[in-house]
Amino acid sequence: MRKTIQLYTEPHVVEVGPYELEFEPEVMGDQFVDAYAELSEAQKAKGVDLENLEDADPAALRKTMRAVRVFLARQMLPETSELFLRLDVVKGGEVLESFQDGDEAQAFAAKHPGAVVRDAVRLPTRAVAEILEFTVELYGGGNRPTGSSSGSAPRSRPGGRPGTGPSPSRASTRTSGR
């Protein structure tokens, strides 16, 4: 008996808004587990439940979201990782300086009244959470896409039971002879 296990060689790509985030074709198990453990520890230390963001302290949430970005970046190709982790110090719509380290960015912004620190890749929290979910499923041994690495898992069936009534299109379409 012989079994062949496929290893991906092409990067996985997540398209989100104007960005194409490229992820490593394969991530070794220990590398993924170590990165995930660090994320879990950071999340626990900050006291943020990613399933319930409404009750989170804004400062703790910012640090947790940064930890999520660091975790994701560890699974990305280097160029994508650098962009994804880049922090821009912005004042009046102009980027004053860019950093990879959050503390350095905050210190620089503090020296420039009115400046704020922003992610270079600005995404809604829900999009970052979806990327996290995808990454954990992809590298954590969940349902991996089949075929090419740009493939995706099939869409889940909607909840509930299938209806037994006529479809709206049938109900509104008249047939000749009736």
Side-chain angles (χ1 to χ4, degrees):
M1 177 180 204
R2 172 178 263 178
K3 175 158 178 79
T4 302
I5 298 174
Q6 177 185 2
L7 292 179
Y8 293 108
T9 57
E10 295 294 318
H12 301 281
V13 178
V14 173
E15 295 178 18
V16 56
Y19 307 103
E20 282 193 0
L21 306 175
E22 293 185 319
F23 288 80
E24 294 285 348
E26 294 286 353
V27 173
M28 299 305 126
D30 58 340
Q31 178 184 344
F32 176 81
V33 170
D34 290 346
Y36 193 77
E38 287 176 24
L39 172 62
S40 295
E41 288 304 313
Q43 182 182 340
K44 287 177 192 169
K46 312 273 185 299
V48 174
D49 176 8
L50 291 176
E51 300 295 323
N52 183 18
L53 299 177
E54 296 166 4
D55 299 331
D57 171 53
L61 181 57
R62 277 189 191 88
K63 288 186 179 188
T64 298
M65 291 310 295
R66 186 66 182 169
V68 169
R69 281 181 175 261
V70 168
F71 167 78
L72 291 172
R74 288 177 68 178
Q75 320 314 313
M76 294 175 175
L77 294 182
E79 188 175 301
T80 302
S81 174
E82 187 177 315
L83 174 65
F84 193 70
L85 289 179
R86 192 179 84 207
L87 296 166
D88 293 333
V89 176
V90 179
K91 182 176 179 179
E94 180 185 335
V95 176
L96 302 178
E97 192 76 37
S98 296
F99 298 87
Q100 292 291 309
D101 181 83
D103 292 336
E104 289 177 13
Q106 290 294 342
F108 184 85
K111 295 176 186 173
H112 297 83
V116 294
V117 177
R118 295 233 165 99
D119 291 304
V121 176
R122 296 191 70 200
L123 297 171
T125 301
R126 69 168 182 77
V128 175
E130 283 185 53
I131 297 167
L132 175 62
E133 185 178 302
F134 166 79
T135 306
V136 169
E137 185 176 291
L138 181 65
Y139 299 121
N143 296 326
R144 296 178 59 107
T146 56
S148 73
S149 64
S150 62
S152 60
R155 179 182 295 183
S156 300
R157 288 191 51 207
R161 296 185 355 204
T164 56
S167 73
S169 61
R170 274 196 191 153
S172 62
T173 306
R174 298 186 57 100
T175 56
S176 61
R178 290 190 182 180

